Every structure is written in structure tokens, then in C-alpha cells.
Amino acid sequence: GENVEQHPSTLSVQEGDSAVIKCTYSDSASNYFPWYKQELGKGPQLIIDIRSNVGEKKDQRIAVTLNKTAKHFSLHITETQPEDSAVYFCAASIRGYGGATNKLIFGTGTLLAVQP
Amino acid sequence: GAGVSQSPSNKVTEKGKDVELRCDPISGHTALYWYRQSLGQGLEFLIYFQGNSAPDKSGLPSDRFSAERTGGSVSTLTIQRTQQEDSAVYLCASSSQPSSYEQYFGPGTRLTVT
């Protein structure tokens, strides 16, 4: 079945450094790729997303890149700050009931620790 | 505006009891999803509602799990005869329309089965 692989499972960086999290997906029909940030005791929060007709998207210190040919996408966080510490999940849309690609399958998460 | 809300925030129950978890989606959102997140794990899809269409129940792990959505708004996830392996955080998300993939999550209900 469809799956999304996410690496690394844990990532520790120094404040001010960059962090990169990578995901690969299996469903060639996937056309939407969101990233979520989950802080302890809270629900996941959508931080950035990209659609398959775009190769890169930026929002301040966060960027996402997509390579549809290779079926992988990455999250880049620059100038990391302690408040960036959280679990990050990638996801890819997959075909759901009736064939519409409006379901998401999630990666297993990356625990990012930014050391001050 | 108000986000997705879930209740209770925490639930402790004895093995074999039934539990009901509630989700109030963002007003006007027609799509509603339930996920399960076990300790240190990713999000496991359970069920998806879209308007008046038949729900996609493909992720429900057993017939002890069921969900309904009344009036196209509030949803209730019911787990019958709870087992210890049901212990997890149950997350609800809503989306504004079928073609909009952005899902907004509630804070979750932490279920502990003793």
C-alpha cells in the first residue's frame, strides 16, 4: 500500500544552524504535501505545504522542496531557534474513497531539538 | 476564529468499558477526519466524513470502533469494549471542502485504558 518514509527520526542542531528533514512517498497520484509541527501535548499545526505543480515554496525561515520524479520532498528550516523544537510530520495526499486524493498519509515524525 | 475542539482532553477508562470521544470541527468545514496517534508514533487514519457522502471507514482497526457525524458538524468516535492497546491520543481534523487538502487539527483526546 501507499506509504511515506521520513528521515531522520531525531535531529539535534545548534541554535542558528539549519535543519533538513526528508520524506519519500510511494503513490504517484499524490499531489499535495503538507508539513505539520506538533508541540508536546498539542495537536499538529500546519506550517507549510506544497502542491505538485510547484518545485519550491518559502515562508520566512521555512522552505519546502519537491522532486516529483524522485518522489521526495524536504523541509528546510534556517536560523533555527529553540522554539522550533518540536516533532515535525510530513504527509502526502493519497487516493481515498471514490478516487479523490483528499486523504493524507503521514510520515512517522522527526523530533527536532534546537540547542541554545 | 475558533479552531477544532475535542472533548474530553483526557479519559481514563477500565478495560471492557465503552468510551465516546467528541469533535467539534471549524464552523463551515464539510470534511472531518479522525486519527489515532500512539506514543511516539505517527498519525494513523481512522475514518473520514465528507458532507452527506458515505464515510470512508477504511482505517478503523476493528468493529469495536465506530463514528458518526450528526448534522454535518459534530462527530463522535465510539470505542466499545476498550482494550489496553486502544490507549493513544485520538485526533480530529477538519477541512473546508472536498478539494481543499488543508487539514486543521484539534488538541486531541488522550485515552488511557487500565
Side-chain angles (χ1 to χ4, degrees), chain B residues 46-77:
Chain B
L46 296 177
I47 189 169
Y48 159 58
F49 296 90
Q50 172 53 53
N52 295 322
S53 302
D56 179 347
K57 305 179 182 179
S58 60
L60 294 179
S62 78
D63 58 8
R64 296 187 296 104
F65 287 72
S66 62
E68 61 178 24
R69 188 178 185 193
T70 54
S73 180
V74 172
S75 177
T76 301
L77 176 69

Side-chain angles (χ1 to χ4, degrees), chain A residues 31-32 36 38 41-46 49 51 87 89 93 96-97 100-109, chain B residues 33 35 37 40-43 45 48 50 54-56 58 91 98-108 110:
Chain A
N31 58 6
Y32 173 68
Y36 286 84
Q38 187 175 28
K42 298 183 178 180
Q45 178 187 9
L46 179 66
D49 56 17
R51 298 182 188 272
V87 178
F89 291 97
S93 62
Y97 193 71
T101 52
N102 50 11
K103 286 172 60 175
L104 295 177
I105 184 166
F106 286 81
T108 50
Chain B
Y33 304 78
Y35 295 89
Q37 185 174 31
Q41 299 298 310
L43 282 72
F45 166 79
Y48 159 58
Q50 172 53 53
D56 179 347
S58 60
L91 291 160
S99 59
S100 173
Y101 299 128
E102 293 89 349
Q103 295 184 23
Y104 297 91
F105 283 84
R110 180 174 296 278

Side-chain angles (χ1 to χ4, degrees), chain A residues 5-66:
Chain A
E5 294 188 0
Q6 182 172 348
H7 300 282
S9 56
T10 60
L11 178 59
S12 181
V13 299
Q14 290 296 124
E15 182 177 359
D17 288 350
S18 295
V20 180
I21 304 171
K22 299 182 179 181
C23 290
T24 59
Y25 62 97
S26 60
D27 188 352
S28 58
S30 296
N31 58 6
Y32 173 68
F33 308 90
W35 286 89
Y36 286 84
K37 175 183 180 182
Q38 187 175 28
E39 297 175 328
L40 194 62
K42 298 183 178 180
Q45 178 187 9
L46 179 66
I47 57 171
I48 194 168
D49 56 17
I50 192 168
R51 298 182 188 272
S52 58
N53 58 347
V54 175
E56 183 176 5
K57 183 177 179 181
K58 290 183 179 180
D59 183 2
Q60 300 183 345
R61 297 185 297 107
I62 296 174
V64 57
T65 59
L66 171 65

